Protein backbone atom coordinates (compact mmCIF):
# COMPACT_ATOMS: atom_id res chain seq x y z
CA UNK A 1 0.00 0.00 0.00
CA UNK A 2 1.28 3.44 -0.95
CA UNK A 3 1.18 6.59 1.19
CA UNK A 4 -1.71 8.87 0.18
CA UNK A 5 0.61 11.87 -0.05
CA UNK A 6 3.62 10.30 -1.77
CA UNK A 7 4.70 6.91 -3.14
CA UNK A 8 6.50 5.54 -0.10
CA UNK A 9 5.07 2.49 1.68
CA UNK A 10 2.42 3.03 4.33
CA UNK A 11 3.56 2.63 7.93
CA UNK A 12 0.72 4.41 9.77
CA UNK A 13 -3.05 4.29 9.66
CA UNK A 14 -4.62 7.30 11.32
CA UNK A 15 -8.27 8.00 11.90
CA UNK A 16 -9.28 11.65 11.84
CA UNK A 17 -12.53 13.55 12.02
CA UNK A 18 -13.04 15.59 8.88
CA UNK A 19 -14.85 18.90 8.53
CA UNK A 20 -18.24 17.22 8.11
CA UNK A 21 -17.79 15.32 11.34
CA UNK A 22 -17.16 12.02 9.60
CA UNK A 23 -14.37 9.67 10.56
CA UNK A 24 -11.73 9.37 7.93
CA UNK A 25 -8.89 6.93 7.49
CA UNK A 26 -5.47 8.20 6.45
CA UNK A 27 -2.78 5.87 5.20
CA UNK A 28 0.59 7.52 5.45
CA UNK A 29 4.30 6.85 5.23
CA UNK A 30 6.53 7.52 8.22
CA UNK A 31 7.40 11.10 7.20
CA UNK A 32 3.88 12.12 6.28
CA UNK A 33 2.44 10.59 9.44
CA UNK A 34 4.80 12.86 11.34
CA UNK A 35 3.70 15.95 9.39
CA UNK A 36 0.07 14.93 9.84
CA UNK A 37 0.43 14.59 13.60
CA UNK A 38 2.26 17.89 13.86
CA UNK A 39 -0.49 19.63 11.89
CA UNK A 40 -3.21 18.12 14.07
CA UNK A 41 -1.45 18.99 17.28
CA UNK A 42 -1.35 22.66 16.35
CA UNK A 43 -3.79 25.24 17.62
CA UNK A 44 -6.86 24.77 15.49
CA UNK A 45 -7.91 28.14 14.22
CA UNK A 46 -9.25 27.34 10.82
CA UNK A 47 -13.01 27.23 10.48
CA UNK A 48 -14.35 23.89 9.34
CA UNK A 49 -16.61 25.47 6.76
CA UNK A 50 -14.84 26.39 3.57
CA UNK A 51 -16.09 29.89 2.75
CA UNK A 52 -15.18 29.91 -0.90
CA UNK A 53 -17.00 26.57 -1.38
CA UNK A 54 -20.03 28.03 0.37
CA UNK A 55 -19.94 31.19 -1.72
CA UNK A 56 -19.79 29.14 -4.92
CA UNK A 57 -22.71 27.00 -3.80
CA UNK A 58 -24.72 30.11 -3.03
CA UNK A 59 -24.24 31.66 -6.42
CA UNK A 60 -25.19 28.46 -8.26
CA UNK A 61 -28.24 27.98 -6.01
CA UNK A 62 -29.58 31.40 -6.87
CA UNK A 63 -31.18 29.88 -10.00
CA UNK A 64 -31.77 30.76 -13.66
CA UNK A 65 -33.28 34.17 -13.13
CA UNK A 66 -30.12 35.15 -11.38
CA UNK A 67 -27.87 34.69 -14.42
CA UNK A 68 -28.00 38.34 -15.39
CA UNK A 69 -27.47 39.64 -11.88
CA UNK A 70 -24.80 37.02 -11.37
CA UNK A 71 -22.54 38.55 -13.95
CA UNK A 72 -23.33 42.00 -12.56
CA UNK A 73 -22.29 40.71 -9.15
CA UNK A 74 -19.12 39.26 -10.60
CA UNK A 75 -18.19 42.61 -12.08
CA UNK A 76 -18.92 44.73 -9.03
CA UNK A 77 -15.71 46.00 -7.53
CA UNK A 78 -14.81 47.65 -4.24
CA UNK A 79 -13.46 51.12 -5.06
CA UNK A 80 -11.15 51.05 -2.05
CA UNK A 81 -9.35 47.72 -2.27
CA UNK A 82 -10.32 46.66 -5.83
CA UNK A 83 -11.75 43.38 -4.58
CA UNK A 84 -14.31 41.72 -6.89
CA UNK A 85 -16.91 39.25 -5.73
CA UNK A 86 -15.38 36.64 -8.01
CA UNK A 87 -12.07 37.07 -6.25
CA UNK A 88 -13.77 36.62 -2.89
CA UNK A 89 -15.44 33.44 -4.16
CA UNK A 90 -12.06 32.06 -5.12
CA UNK A 91 -10.15 32.97 -1.98
CA UNK A 92 -12.85 33.14 0.71
CA UNK A 93 -11.19 36.30 2.08
CA UNK A 94 -12.42 39.89 1.81
CA UNK A 95 -10.20 42.83 0.90
CA UNK A 96 -11.26 45.60 3.28
CA UNK A 97 -13.98 46.50 5.82
CA UNK A 98 -15.88 48.34 3.07
CA UNK A 99 -16.48 45.02 1.24
CA UNK A 100 -19.15 44.18 3.81
CA UNK A 101 -21.07 47.20 2.43
CA UNK A 102 -20.26 46.66 -1.26
CA UNK A 103 -21.14 42.94 -1.33
CA UNK A 104 -23.81 43.09 1.35
CA UNK A 105 -26.50 41.49 -0.80
CA UNK A 106 -24.37 38.41 -1.47
CA UNK A 107 -22.80 38.22 1.97
CA UNK A 108 -25.95 38.31 4.09
CA UNK A 109 -27.31 34.88 3.02
CA UNK A 110 -23.81 33.48 3.38
CA UNK A 111 -23.57 34.84 6.94
CA UNK A 112 -26.94 33.37 7.77
CA UNK A 113 -25.79 29.98 6.53
CA UNK A 114 -22.54 30.10 8.49
CA UNK A 115 -23.81 31.58 11.75
CA UNK A 116 -27.61 31.08 11.66
CA UNK A 117 -27.80 34.78 12.56
CA UNK A 118 -27.22 38.08 10.79
CA UNK A 119 -27.00 40.61 13.57
CA UNK A 120 -24.15 41.20 15.99
CA UNK A 121 -24.77 40.74 19.67
CA UNK A 122 -21.95 41.20 22.14
CA UNK A 123 -18.99 43.43 22.76
CA UNK A 124 -18.64 46.84 21.11
CA UNK A 125 -15.50 48.99 21.10
CA UNK A 126 -15.56 51.53 23.95
CA UNK A 127 -13.77 54.11 21.95
CA UNK A 128 -15.91 56.09 19.52
CA UNK A 129 -14.73 55.07 16.08
CA UNK A 130 -13.91 57.58 13.37
CA UNK A 131 -16.85 58.14 11.11
CA UNK A 132 -17.02 55.83 8.11
CA UNK A 133 -16.34 58.78 5.81
CA UNK A 134 -12.96 59.43 7.42
CA UNK A 135 -12.10 55.74 7.42
CA UNK A 136 -12.77 55.31 3.72
CA UNK A 137 -10.95 58.56 2.92
CA UNK A 138 -7.89 57.25 4.72
CA UNK A 139 -7.84 53.99 2.77
CA UNK A 140 -8.32 56.00 -0.45
CA UNK A 141 -5.53 58.44 0.42
CA UNK A 142 -3.10 55.63 1.20
CA UNK A 143 -3.88 54.22 -2.26
CA UNK A 144 -3.14 57.63 -3.80
CA UNK A 145 0.11 57.78 -1.86
CA UNK A 146 1.21 54.41 -3.24
CA UNK A 147 0.38 55.50 -6.80
CA UNK A 148 2.12 58.84 -6.54
CA UNK A 149 5.26 57.22 -5.15
CA UNK A 150 5.20 54.60 -7.92
CA UNK A 151 4.87 57.42 -10.46
CA UNK A 152 7.74 59.26 -8.72
CA UNK A 153 5.51 62.29 -8.23
CA UNK A 154 7.02 63.24 -4.88
CA UNK A 155 5.32 66.61 -4.70
CA UNK A 156 1.91 64.97 -4.88
CA UNK A 157 3.06 62.26 -2.44
CA UNK A 158 4.05 64.91 0.10
CA UNK A 159 0.65 66.61 -0.21
CA UNK A 160 -1.19 63.30 0.19
CA UNK A 161 0.95 62.44 3.20
CA UNK A 162 -0.03 65.74 4.84
CA UNK A 163 -3.70 65.00 4.23
CA UNK A 164 -3.31 61.55 5.83
CA UNK A 165 -1.62 63.08 8.88
CA UNK A 166 -4.37 65.67 9.11
CA UNK A 167 -7.09 63.00 9.10
CA UNK A 168 -5.21 60.74 11.49
CA UNK A 169 -4.83 63.56 13.99
CA UNK A 170 -8.63 63.68 14.31
CA UNK A 171 -8.34 60.30 16.02
CA UNK A 172 -8.70 61.49 19.58
CA UNK A 173 -11.73 63.65 18.90
CA UNK A 174 -14.76 61.58 19.74
CA UNK B 1 12.86 38.59 27.53
CA UNK B 2 14.45 36.75 24.59
CA UNK B 3 13.23 33.63 22.81
CA UNK B 4 16.19 31.68 24.19
CA UNK B 5 14.87 32.07 27.72
CA UNK B 6 11.58 30.38 26.92
CA UNK B 7 12.56 26.67 26.74
CA UNK B 8 13.24 26.63 30.49
CA UNK B 9 9.52 26.66 31.22
CA UNK B 10 6.84 24.55 29.58
CA UNK B 11 4.60 27.56 28.73
CA UNK B 12 1.21 28.32 30.21
CA UNK B 13 -0.79 25.76 28.23
CA UNK B 14 1.36 22.84 29.32
CA UNK B 15 1.82 23.77 32.97
CA UNK B 16 -0.60 21.03 33.92
CA UNK B 17 -1.77 22.79 37.08
CA UNK B 18 -5.17 24.17 36.04
CA UNK B 19 -8.61 22.80 36.97
CA UNK B 20 -9.36 19.26 35.66
CA UNK B 21 -5.94 19.15 34.05
CA UNK B 22 -5.85 15.35 34.08
CA UNK B 23 -8.27 15.62 31.14
CA UNK B 24 -8.39 19.24 29.96
CA UNK B 25 -4.93 20.21 28.74
CA UNK B 26 -5.74 23.86 28.15
CA UNK B 27 -8.41 26.47 27.49
CA UNK B 28 -7.91 28.99 24.75
CA UNK B 29 -9.73 32.08 23.51
CA UNK B 30 -8.78 34.27 20.60
CA UNK B 31 -10.23 37.46 19.17
CA UNK B 32 -9.89 38.62 15.56
CA UNK B 33 -9.57 42.39 15.11
CA UNK B 34 -8.74 44.71 12.21
CA UNK B 35 -7.79 48.35 11.97
CA UNK B 36 -10.60 50.38 10.42
CA UNK B 37 -8.60 52.45 7.98
CA UNK B 38 -6.42 49.80 6.35
CA UNK B 39 -7.28 47.09 3.83
CA UNK B 40 -7.31 43.51 5.13
CA UNK B 41 -4.06 41.56 4.81
CA UNK B 42 -4.67 40.07 1.35
CA UNK B 43 -4.98 43.59 -0.12
CA UNK B 44 -2.39 45.35 2.04
CA UNK B 45 0.89 46.47 0.48
CA UNK B 46 4.21 45.97 2.17
CA UNK B 47 4.26 49.57 3.39
CA UNK B 48 0.71 49.30 4.72
CA UNK B 49 1.65 46.14 6.61
CA UNK B 50 4.60 48.00 8.18
CA UNK B 51 2.32 50.86 9.14
CA UNK B 52 -0.11 48.37 10.74
CA UNK B 53 2.78 46.83 12.71
CA UNK B 54 3.87 50.31 13.85
CA UNK B 55 0.39 51.34 15.02
CA UNK B 56 -0.22 48.07 16.84
CA UNK B 57 3.20 48.12 18.51
CA UNK B 58 2.48 51.67 19.72
CA UNK B 59 -0.88 50.61 21.12
CA UNK B 60 0.75 47.66 22.87
CA UNK B 61 3.32 49.83 24.60
CA UNK B 62 0.73 52.50 25.49
CA UNK B 63 -1.63 49.85 26.85
CA UNK B 64 0.82 48.95 29.60
CA UNK B 65 0.15 45.25 29.11
CA UNK B 66 3.81 44.17 29.53
CA UNK B 67 4.13 42.37 26.22
CA UNK B 68 7.36 41.90 24.29
CA UNK B 69 7.19 42.14 20.50
CA UNK B 70 9.09 39.76 18.21
CA UNK B 71 9.58 40.40 14.51
CA UNK B 72 8.58 37.15 12.81
CA UNK B 73 9.62 38.35 9.34
CA UNK B 74 13.28 38.64 10.39
CA UNK B 75 13.24 35.61 12.66
CA UNK B 76 15.16 32.42 11.84
CA UNK B 77 13.20 29.42 10.56
CA UNK B 78 14.10 27.56 13.77
CA UNK B 79 12.71 30.29 16.03
CA UNK B 80 9.49 30.43 14.01
CA UNK B 81 9.03 26.68 14.31
CA UNK B 82 9.82 26.99 18.00
CA UNK B 83 6.94 29.46 18.47
CA UNK B 84 4.58 27.20 16.51
CA UNK B 85 5.46 24.28 18.79
CA UNK B 86 4.69 26.44 21.82
CA UNK B 87 1.30 27.33 20.27
CA UNK B 88 2.22 31.02 20.37
CA UNK B 89 1.98 31.57 16.63
CA UNK B 90 0.11 29.74 13.88
CA UNK B 91 1.62 27.97 10.91
CA UNK B 92 -0.03 30.65 8.76
CA UNK B 93 1.93 33.43 10.50
CA UNK B 94 5.12 31.37 10.33
CA UNK B 95 4.76 30.81 6.61
CA UNK B 96 3.29 34.22 5.74
CA UNK B 97 5.13 37.05 4.07
CA UNK B 98 5.90 40.69 4.72
CA UNK B 99 6.03 42.61 7.99
CA UNK B 100 4.44 40.57 10.75
CA UNK B 101 5.13 39.56 14.30
CA UNK B 102 3.95 38.44 17.68
CA UNK B 103 3.79 40.07 21.12
CA UNK B 104 4.04 37.81 24.18
CA UNK B 105 3.76 38.31 27.90
CA UNK B 106 6.26 36.76 30.29
CA UNK B 107 4.22 33.73 31.33
CA UNK B 108 3.14 33.12 27.70
CA UNK B 109 -0.53 33.17 28.64
CA UNK B 110 -1.18 35.99 26.15
CA UNK B 111 0.01 36.42 22.60
CA UNK B 112 -0.92 38.90 19.91
CA UNK B 113 -0.23 37.93 16.33
CA UNK B 114 0.11 40.91 13.99
CA UNK B 115 -0.72 40.59 10.28
CA UNK B 116 -1.84 37.00 10.30
CA UNK B 117 -5.22 36.49 8.55
CA UNK B 118 -6.45 39.60 10.39
CA UNK B 119 -4.41 42.59 11.52
CA UNK B 120 -4.71 41.42 15.11
CA UNK B 121 -5.20 37.97 16.53
CA UNK B 122 -5.27 38.25 20.30
CA UNK B 123 -4.97 34.93 22.13
CA UNK B 124 -5.07 33.85 25.76
CA UNK B 125 -4.27 30.30 26.90
CA UNK B 126 -4.75 28.93 30.39
CA UNK B 127 -3.80 25.58 31.77
CA UNK B 128 -6.74 23.23 32.43
CA UNK B 129 -10.45 24.01 32.20
CA UNK B 130 -10.41 27.77 32.81
CA UNK B 131 -12.46 29.46 30.11
CA UNK B 132 -13.85 32.19 32.36
CA UNK B 133 -10.43 33.25 33.59
CA UNK B 134 -9.23 33.21 29.99
CA UNK B 135 -12.16 35.42 28.97
CA UNK B 136 -11.52 37.94 31.75
CA UNK B 137 -7.88 38.19 30.76
CA UNK B 138 -8.49 38.57 27.04
CA UNK B 139 -11.41 40.99 27.48
CA UNK B 140 -9.18 43.26 29.55
CA UNK B 141 -6.29 43.04 27.08
CA UNK B 142 -8.63 43.75 24.17
CA UNK B 143 -10.05 46.82 25.97
CA UNK B 144 -6.58 48.22 26.59
CA UNK B 145 -5.49 47.70 23.00
CA UNK B 146 -8.54 49.27 21.39
CA UNK B 147 -8.19 52.41 23.49
CA UNK B 148 -5.36 53.34 21.15
CA UNK B 149 -6.64 51.87 17.88
CA UNK B 150 -9.50 52.45 15.47
CA UNK B 151 -11.03 49.01 15.13
CA UNK B 152 -13.15 48.01 12.11
CA UNK B 153 -16.63 47.60 13.56
CA UNK B 154 -20.21 47.96 12.37
CA UNK B 155 -23.28 48.19 14.60
CA UNK B 156 -25.01 45.55 12.54
CA UNK B 157 -22.22 43.02 11.92
CA UNK B 158 -19.88 43.69 14.84
CA UNK B 159 -16.13 43.30 14.45
CA UNK B 160 -15.32 43.06 10.75
CA UNK B 161 -12.91 40.28 9.83
CA UNK B 162 -11.15 39.20 6.65
CA UNK B 163 -13.09 35.95 6.62
CA UNK B 164 -16.89 36.03 7.10
CA UNK B 165 -16.64 33.00 9.41
CA UNK B 166 -15.16 35.26 12.11
CA UNK B 167 -17.39 38.32 11.78
CA UNK B 168 -19.36 39.53 14.80
CA UNK B 169 -17.56 38.76 18.03
CA UNK B 170 -14.43 37.52 16.22
CA UNK B 171 -14.14 34.99 19.01
CA UNK B 172 -12.92 31.41 18.88
CA UNK B 173 -13.22 29.55 22.15
CA UNK B 174 -11.53 26.18 22.44
CA UNK B 175 -10.44 23.50 24.84
CA UNK B 176 -7.88 20.81 24.21
CA UNK B 177 -8.75 17.47 25.79
CA UNK B 178 -6.87 14.26 26.39
CA UNK B 179 -9.38 11.41 26.04
CA UNK B 180 -7.37 8.19 25.87
CA UNK B 181 -10.02 6.01 27.54
CA UNK B 182 -13.01 7.32 25.56
CA UNK B 183 -10.83 6.96 22.48
CA UNK B 184 -10.77 3.19 23.08
CA UNK B 185 -14.55 2.93 23.25
CA UNK B 186 -16.91 3.72 20.39
CA UNK B 187 -18.94 6.30 22.29
CA UNK B 188 -16.74 9.19 21.23
CA UNK B 189 -18.15 9.11 17.72
CA UNK B 190 -21.73 9.63 18.91
CA UNK B 191 -20.73 12.27 21.38
CA UNK B 192 -18.90 14.31 18.78
CA UNK B 193 -21.81 14.14 16.37
CA UNK B 194 -24.00 15.60 19.10
CA UNK B 195 -21.53 18.44 19.58
CA UNK B 196 -21.56 19.17 15.87
CA UNK B 197 -25.33 19.59 16.01
CA UNK B 198 -24.97 22.44 18.49
CA UNK B 199 -22.45 24.25 16.29
CA UNK B 200 -19.32 23.07 18.06
CA UNK B 201 -16.50 21.62 16.04
CA UNK B 202 -14.26 18.74 17.01
CA UNK B 203 -10.85 18.01 15.68
CA UNK B 204 -8.36 15.41 16.71
CA UNK B 205 -6.82 12.04 16.42
CA UNK B 206 -7.86 8.84 18.01
CA UNK B 207 -6.39 5.42 18.18
CA UNK B 208 -6.96 2.51 15.89
CA UNK B 209 -8.34 -0.41 17.85
CA UNK B 210 -6.43 -0.77 21.08
CA UNK B 211 -3.30 0.83 19.73
CA UNK B 212 -2.64 3.97 21.70
CA UNK B 213 -2.47 7.10 19.60
CA UNK B 214 -2.35 10.72 20.63
CA UNK B 215 -5.99 10.93 21.71
CA UNK B 216 -5.87 14.71 21.87
CA UNK B 217 -9.01 16.52 20.76
CA UNK B 218 -9.92 20.14 20.32
CA UNK B 219 -13.47 21.37 20.70
CA UNK B 220 -14.32 24.90 19.61
CA UNK B 221 -17.23 27.14 18.60
CA UNK B 222 -18.04 27.69 14.93
CA UNK B 223 -20.56 30.48 15.26
CA UNK B 224 -19.26 34.00 15.92
CA UNK B 225 -22.22 36.20 14.91
CA UNK B 226 -25.49 36.78 16.78
CA UNK B 227 -24.48 35.48 20.19
CA UNK B 228 -22.53 37.37 22.82
CA UNK B 229 -19.08 36.26 23.96
CA UNK B 230 -20.34 34.93 27.33
CA UNK B 231 -23.10 32.97 25.56
CA UNK B 232 -20.63 31.38 23.15
CA UNK B 233 -18.28 30.53 26.01
CA UNK B 234 -21.16 29.02 27.94
CA UNK B 235 -22.27 26.78 25.07
CA UNK B 236 -18.82 25.23 25.17
CA UNK B 237 -18.26 25.15 28.92
CA UNK B 238 -21.68 23.52 29.43
CA UNK B 239 -20.69 20.36 27.57
CA UNK B 240 -17.14 19.94 28.88
CA UNK B 241 -18.01 18.69 32.41
CA UNK B 242 -20.09 15.93 30.86
CA UNK B 243 -17.24 14.90 28.61
CA UNK B 244 -14.87 14.91 31.61
CA UNK B 245 -17.33 12.72 33.48
CA UNK B 246 -17.53 10.22 30.59
CA UNK B 247 -13.77 10.06 30.28
CA UNK B 248 -13.36 9.42 34.02
CA UNK B 249 -15.96 6.64 33.89
CA UNK B 250 -14.34 5.10 30.81
CA UNK B 251 -10.99 5.14 32.63
CA UNK B 252 -12.48 3.34 35.61
CA UNK B 253 -14.16 0.76 33.39
CA UNK B 254 -10.90 0.16 31.57
CA UNK B 255 -9.15 -0.25 34.90
CA UNK B 256 -11.57 -2.87 36.18
CA UNK B 257 -12.08 -4.77 32.97
CA UNK B 258 -8.70 -4.60 31.33
CA UNK B 259 -6.24 -3.71 34.03
CA UNK B 260 -3.54 -6.15 32.94
CA UNK B 261 -3.68 -5.16 29.28
CA UNK B 262 -3.70 -1.50 30.18
CA UNK B 263 -0.87 -1.82 32.67
CA UNK B 264 1.15 -3.69 30.10
CA UNK B 265 0.45 -1.04 27.47
CA UNK B 266 1.50 1.96 29.58
CA UNK B 267 4.52 0.16 31.06
CA UNK B 268 5.75 -0.75 27.60
CA UNK B 269 5.33 2.86 26.45
CA UNK B 270 7.23 4.08 29.51
CA UNK B 271 9.88 1.42 28.96
CA UNK B 272 10.51 2.43 25.36
CA UNK B 273 10.87 6.09 26.34
CA UNK B 274 13.39 5.17 29.04
CA UNK B 275 15.52 2.91 26.86
CA UNK B 276 15.26 3.90 23.18
CA UNK B 277 18.38 5.04 21.38
CA UNK B 278 16.63 6.67 18.46
CA UNK B 279 13.03 7.87 18.41
CA UNK B 280 10.89 10.12 16.18
CA UNK B 281 8.87 13.01 17.59
CA UNK B 282 5.62 11.35 16.55
CA UNK B 283 6.40 8.08 18.32
CA UNK B 284 7.44 10.12 21.38
CA UNK B 285 4.11 11.94 21.36
CA UNK B 286 2.11 8.73 21.16
CA UNK B 287 4.11 7.03 23.91
CA UNK B 288 3.93 10.08 26.17
CA UNK B 289 0.17 10.14 25.65
CA UNK B 290 0.05 6.58 26.92
CA UNK B 291 2.30 7.38 29.88
CA UNK B 292 0.13 10.39 30.69
CA UNK B 293 -2.90 8.12 30.91
CA UNK B 294 -0.87 5.68 33.03
CA UNK B 295 -0.12 8.41 35.55
CA UNK B 296 -3.76 9.54 35.66
CA UNK B 297 -4.88 5.97 36.31
CA UNK B 298 -2.30 5.40 39.05
CA UNK B 299 -0.44 2.79 37.01
CA UNK B 300 2.75 4.87 36.94
CA UNK B 301 3.67 6.51 40.21
CA UNK B 302 7.18 7.87 39.80
CA UNK B 303 6.36 10.62 37.29
CA UNK B 304 4.07 13.66 37.31
CA UNK B 305 1.80 15.15 34.64
CA UNK B 306 3.76 18.41 34.64
CA UNK B 307 6.93 16.44 33.89
CA UNK B 308 5.28 14.58 31.02
CA UNK B 309 4.12 17.94 29.66
CA UNK B 310 7.66 19.25 29.83
CA UNK B 311 8.82 16.23 27.80
CA UNK B 312 6.00 16.76 25.28
CA UNK B 313 7.18 20.25 24.46
CA UNK B 314 10.93 19.79 24.77
CA UNK B 315 11.08 16.76 22.46
CA UNK B 316 9.50 18.66 19.56
CA UNK B 317 12.03 19.25 16.76
CA UNK B 318 12.65 23.00 17.18
CA UNK B 319 12.75 22.78 20.97
CA UNK B 320 15.27 19.96 20.84
CA UNK B 321 17.51 21.93 18.50
CA UNK B 322 17.25 25.11 20.56
CA UNK B 323 18.15 23.26 23.74
CA UNK B 324 21.03 21.64 21.90
CA UNK B 325 22.09 24.99 20.44
CA UNK B 326 22.35 24.00 16.79
CA UNK B 327 20.30 22.75 13.86
CA UNK B 328 20.34 19.01 13.26
CA UNK B 329 19.23 16.58 10.57
CA UNK B 330 16.25 14.29 11.28
CA UNK B 331 18.41 11.22 12.09
CA UNK B 332 20.59 13.21 14.47
CA UNK B 333 17.49 14.65 16.13
CA UNK B 334 16.05 11.18 16.69
CA UNK B 335 19.25 10.09 18.43
CA UNK B 336 19.39 13.29 20.47
CA UNK B 337 15.70 12.99 21.40
CA UNK B 338 16.21 9.46 22.70
CA UNK B 339 19.22 10.46 24.79
CA UNK B 340 17.39 13.54 26.10
CA UNK B 341 14.45 11.34 27.16
CA UNK B 342 16.68 8.78 28.87
CA UNK B 343 18.52 11.51 30.74
CA UNK B 344 15.44 13.50 31.79
CA UNK B 345 13.44 10.45 32.83
CA UNK B 346 16.33 9.29 35.04
CA UNK B 347 16.66 12.75 36.58
CA UNK B 348 12.92 12.97 37.15
CA UNK B 349 12.83 9.67 39.03
CA UNK B 350 16.04 10.10 40.99
CA UNK B 351 16.14 13.87 41.28
CA UNK B 352 18.86 15.87 39.51
CA UNK B 353 22.37 14.38 39.71
CA UNK B 354 24.23 15.63 42.78
CA UNK B 355 27.60 17.26 42.19
ZN1 LIG C 1 4.32 9.94 2.26
ZN1 LIG D 1 -12.69 46.65 -0.31
Amino acid sequence: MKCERCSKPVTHHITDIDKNGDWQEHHLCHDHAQTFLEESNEIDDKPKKDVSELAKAFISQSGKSAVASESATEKRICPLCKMTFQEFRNTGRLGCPNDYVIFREELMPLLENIHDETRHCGKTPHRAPRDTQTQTSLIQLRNDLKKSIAAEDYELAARVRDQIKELESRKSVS
Amino acid sequence: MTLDELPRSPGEWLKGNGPESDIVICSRIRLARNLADFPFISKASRSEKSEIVTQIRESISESNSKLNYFDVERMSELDRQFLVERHLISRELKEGEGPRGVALNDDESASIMVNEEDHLRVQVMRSGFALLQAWEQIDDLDNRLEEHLDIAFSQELGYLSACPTNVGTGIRVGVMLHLPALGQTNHLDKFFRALQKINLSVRGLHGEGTQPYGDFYQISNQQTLGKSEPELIKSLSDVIPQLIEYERKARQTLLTERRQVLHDQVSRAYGVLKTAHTISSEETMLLLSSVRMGINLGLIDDLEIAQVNELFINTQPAHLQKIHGQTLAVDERNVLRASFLRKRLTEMRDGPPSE
Side-chain angles (χ1 to χ4, degrees), chain A residues 49-102:
Chain A
K49 290 182 185 171
D50 186 326
V51 180
S52 84
E53 287 302 314
L54 272 178
K56 278 172 204 156
F58 262 87
I59 294 296
S60 47
Q61 263 171 30
S62 58
K64 300 157 223 142
S65 60
V67 175
S69 67
E70 184 180 324
S71 63
T73 301
E74 300 289 293
K75 285 194 188 107
R76 205 179 316 145
I77 184 165
C78 169
L80 295 178
C81 72
K82 313 290 178 231
M83 173 68 83
T84 61
F85 195 73
Q86 187 175 18
E87 197 179 345
F88 166 69
R89 274 193 353 184
N90 291 334
T91 63
R93 300 291 177 274
L94 294 164
C96 79
N98 190 46
D99 297 1
Y100 281 98
V101 179
I102 300 283

Side-chain angles (χ1 to χ4, degrees), chain B residues 38-266:
Chain B
F38 286 89
F40 294 143
I41 296 300
S42 65
K43 291 287 181 184
S45 65
R46 191 178 166 84
S47 64
E48 282 166 329
K49 286 186 190 174
S50 306
E51 179 60 24
I52 292 165
V53 168
T54 307
Q55 290 201 9
I56 292 176
R57 287 191 67 173
E58 272 170 25
S59 83
I60 289 171
S61 59
E62 282 167 31
S63 73
N64 244 332
S65 8
K66 301 205 173 66
L67 294 147
N68 299 294
Y69 183 83
F70 298 95
D71 182 342
V72 173
E73 187 185 19
R74 298 209 186 124
M75 200 176 272
S76 71
E77 175 67 21
L78 182 61
D79 281 344
R80 286 181 205 172
Q81 179 60 35
F82 174 77
L83 291 175
V84 170
E85 288 173 8
R86 291 184 90 74
H87 292 193
L88 295 170
I89 68 171
S90 62
R91 200 170 278 252
E92 181 161 341
L93 190 78
K94 176 194 165 219
E95 282 159 15
E97 51 182 54
R100 63 197 190 283
V102 64
L104 308 172
N105 66 351
D106 282 345
D107 68 6
E108 295 176 58
S109 60
S111 84
I112 300 172
M113 288 192 277
V114 182
N115 290 345
E116 205 240 25
E117 183 181 295
D118 294 294
H119 298 152
L120 278 157
R121 281 288 176 95
V122 187
Q123 162 181 280
V124 163
M125 277 195 293
R126 306 288 293 231
S127 174
F129 184 34
L131 284 172
L132 284 179
Q133 291 89 324
W135 168 244
E136 278 168 22
Q137 188 180 348
I138 202 168
D139 187 31
D140 175 62
L141 181 55
D142 181 47
N143 289 343
R144 287 156 180 258
L145 289 171
E146 68 171 33
E147 257 177 56
H148 309 276
L149 295 168
D150 273 305
I151 299 293
F153 182 86
S154 99
Q155 287 301 332
E156 184 189 19
L157 294 177
Y159 292 94
L160 303 176
S161 52
C163 180
T165 51
N166 289 315
V167 80
T169 52
I171 199 172
R172 182 90 59 223
V173 186
V175 288
M176 195 196 269
L177 303 159
H178 187 215
L179 305 174
L182 273 180
Q184 299 198 8
T185 69
N186 26 15
H187 302 312
L188 211 47
D189 192 352
K190 271 180 271 166
F191 204 89
F192 287 169
R193 281 177 206 283
L195 292 182
Q196 230 113 23
K197 285 207 183 88
I198 53 169
N199 269 321
L200 296 175
S201 94
V202 180
R203 177 162 207 250
L205 296 168
H206 79 148
E208 233 196 342
T210 56
Q211 198 189 355
Y213 255 106
D215 294 308
F216 294 100
Y217 299 86
Q218 298 183 60
I219 300 181
S220 57
N221 67 304
Q222 289 288 88
Q223 183 186 5
T224 57
L225 182 65
K227 285 211 172 72
S228 70
E229 295 83 353
E231 283 177 289
L232 291 167
I233 292 167
K234 190 171 181 298
S235 72
L236 194 71
S237 55
D238 279 353
V239 300
I240 302 300
Q242 211 181 335
L243 207 46
I244 293 174
E245 178 78 22
Y246 281 173
E247 170 66 15
R248 292 227 168 97
K249 275 196 189 134
R251 287 179 183 185
Q252 286 314 314
T253 311
L254 272 181
L255 262 185
T256 31
E257 289 173 7
R258 298 179 44 220
R259 191 180 182 96
Q260 296 307 330
V261 179
L262 209 61
H263 204 162
D264 179 68
Q265 184 184 309
V266 302

Side-chain angles (χ1 to χ4, degrees), chain A residues 16 23 42 104 123 130 142, chain B residues 37 91 139 156 189 204:
Chain A
D16 191 18
W23 302 100
E42 247 170 68
R104 187 190 153 85
K123 200 169 171 174
R130 272 186 207 122
R142 288 206 184 87
Chain B
D37 35 355
R91 200 170 278 252
D139 187 31
E156 184 189 19
D189 192 352

Side-chain angles (χ1 to χ4, degrees), chain B residues 329-346:
Chain B
V330 177
D331 293 353
E332 296 173 307
R333 286 206 300 265
N334 291 346
V335 171
L336 182 71
R337 182 175 297 110
S339 87
F340 175 82
L341 282 164
R342 290 198 312 272
K343 179 168 154 281
R344 287 297 293 138
L345 285 168
T346 309

